[in-house]
Amino acid sequence: MSAIQRWKSMVEAEHAQSERMRRHEPPPIDHWRPYAQQFRVDPRRTDDLLVNRLIREVQAHQTLLDVGAGGGRLSLPLALNCRHVAAVEPSSSMAEVLRQQASDSSIQNVSLVRAKWEDAEVEAADIVLCCHVLYVVTDIERFVRKLEYNARQSVLVVLYNSAPQSQTYPLWKQIHGEDRLHLPSLPEFQEVLCELDIDARVEILPPQKPRGFDYREQALEQLGRRLYLKPDGRQMAELESMLPDLLEEVEGTLVIRGSQPLEPGLVIWRPKGTQN
Ligand SMILES: C[S@@+](CC[C@H](N)C(=O)[O-])C[C@H]1O[C@@H](n2cnc3c(N)ncnc32)[C@H](O)[C@@H]1O
């Protein structure tokens, strides 16, 4: 199987497993609504290692396309360091967080394109950024080729070394009696790039501690949703009884005991035919 086919079959298998656990309930219209506020962060923060690293890739006169911009966690600080950012974001709740945060922070050089990347009509930019989006993209070749096509200077992709929810994967066996099927992440992406004949540089960035939960009820609610449990069902009660052993407090937040930090990789390449 080719790397591109393998990527597709991993995404499809994971989605099919989710679908089965949802027991034919329709998927939410906006998957990100319960999480969108977590992507609201101060655009002028100075202690974010990823932002500080990305700022080194942009110059004041340049334009940037942020594909899957979410709540503007990266678009907004980068907008403070370049001429213009076009933020492509299909989720209405995420787009609302971005819009509100831009307005509250008086950042005016950001425009929002409310569409999936596959359908988005955009103008090319000097730099195209795509951070923590690709894990769920089925047609990876088409998506990546469009990133390249719209980049005049460079493409920057950020992905973890394993899928963002991999901390919760061990719970699947305990609650559902089956292993969670893995989404593809950085290692599979590197194989895809190889197959697409894209010569990229990969820089492993400092590990990020697990996001965690602010309090116990939030942990129960979010983990229950990740595991597709009915709020008042038997499995939810089972999960609740597991929480005291499952969670530990680290620096004021609750995290899954023993969960390893995720390592982000920054993948950078210049599309063929662009100037050095
Ligand atoms: C984990 S969030 C990351 C947001 C932001 N890049 C960051 O790092 O904070 C993933 C975002 O990708 C968006 N997304 C998912 N599929 C997409 C697609 N096909 N085209 C564009 N955006 C997409 C989601 O709506 C969500 O806002």
Side-chain angles (χ1 to χ4, degrees):
M1 192 189 287
S2 77
I4 292 168
Q5 284 167 340
R6 183 167 129 79
W7 182 285
K8 182 170 189 275
S9 63
M10 286 179 80
V11 177
E12 286 179 345
E14 197 263 6
H15 284 11
Q17 189 183 35
S18 304
E19 205 55 40
R20 183 157 52 77
M21 290 305 171
R22 223 181 256 125
R23 292 177 189 83
H24 310 299
E25 271 186 30
I29 292 167
D30 182 3
H31 163 83
W32 289 98
R33 185 158 297 282
Y35 313 103
Q37 286 302 327
Q38 293 175 356
F39 287 78
R40 185 182 168 89
V41 264
D42 176 9
R44 294 185 170 81
R45 64 197 183 279
T46 55
D47 59 351
D48 187 321
L49 296 178
L50 177 58
V51 169
N52 294 347
R53 175 63 191 88
L54 292 174
I55 284 173
R56 283 171 37 208
E57 295 297 321
V58 300
Q59 294 175 32
H61 66 276
Q62 290 184 316
T63 58
L64 184 134
L65 252 172
D66 186 3
V67 176
R73 186 177 73 104
L74 304 172
S75 299
L76 298 177
L78 292 172
L80 293 168
N81 288 274
C82 71
R83 183 155 60 84
H84 183 263
V85 173
V88 180
E89 178 49 55
S91 147
S92 57
S93 57
M94 283 289 212
E96 188 44 40
V97 169
L98 190 153
R99 210 192 316 266
Q100 189 63 52
Q101 186 70 307
S103 157
D104 292 352
S105 311
S106 308
I107 297 175
Q108 285 160 2
N109 59 337
V110 177
S111 57
L112 197 52
V113 181
R114 281 286 321 281
K116 290 178 77 172
W117 178 237
E118 293 86 337
D119 309 324
E121 290 181 18
V122 293
E123 279 184 26
D126 297 314
I127 295 165
V128 174
L129 168 69
C130 184
C131 181
H132 297 315
V133 178
L134 296 182
Y135 314 101
V136 292
V137 169
T138 320
D139 190 344
I140 190 72
E141 178 171 9
R142 183 168 159 238
F143 201 101
V144 168
R145 288 300 185 206
K146 189 168 174 182
L147 296 178
E148 272 201 320
Y149 182 77
N150 284 285
R152 280 192 291 265
Q153 182 186 304
S154 53
V155 181
L156 313 178
V157 167
V158 180
L159 281 175
Y160 288 124
N161 57 335
S162 51
Q165 289 307 314
S166 51
Q167 322 272 2
T168 64
Y169 286 180
L171 290 174
W172 277 67
K173 191 81 181 167
Q174 295 172 56
I175 295 284
H176 292 302
E178 62 184 82
D179 289 328
R180 178 54 156 160
L181 300 175
H182 292 209
L183 284 172
S185 55
L186 184 61
E188 290 83 9
F189 187 58
Q190 288 180 265
E191 287 171 21
V192 165
L193 289 180
C194 211
E195 211 162 274
L196 294 176
D197 198 22
I198 291 174
D199 187 14
R201 181 159 53 86
V202 180
E203 197 178 310
I204 303 299
L205 303 176
Q208 282 185 358
K209 65 177 170 80
R211 185 191 291 276
F213 312 99
D214 297 332
Y215 46 94
R216 198 177 157 283
E217 289 70 23
Q218 188 189 57
L220 182 63
E221 191 254 322
Q222 292 194 0
L223 288 170
R225 194 163 341 99
R226 296 286 186 198
L227 287 153
Y228 304 101
L229 305 183
K230 284 217 169 76
D232 48 2
R234 176 185 56 78
Q235 289 173 313
M236 194 68 166
E238 201 180 323
L239 174 65
E240 188 169 12
S241 72
M242 287 162 58
L243 284 190
D245 288 339
L246 186 70
L247 299 176
E248 64 178 343
E249 197 180 319
V250 177
E251 294 170 21
T253 50
L254 293 170
V255 298
I256 296 176
R257 200 179 291 279
S259 54
Q260 297 302 307
L262 291 165
E263 271 183 353
L266 170 60
V267 184
I268 306 182
W269 75 93
R270 280 178 183 278
K272 287 196 176 108
T274 56
Q275 291 181 344
N276 283 323

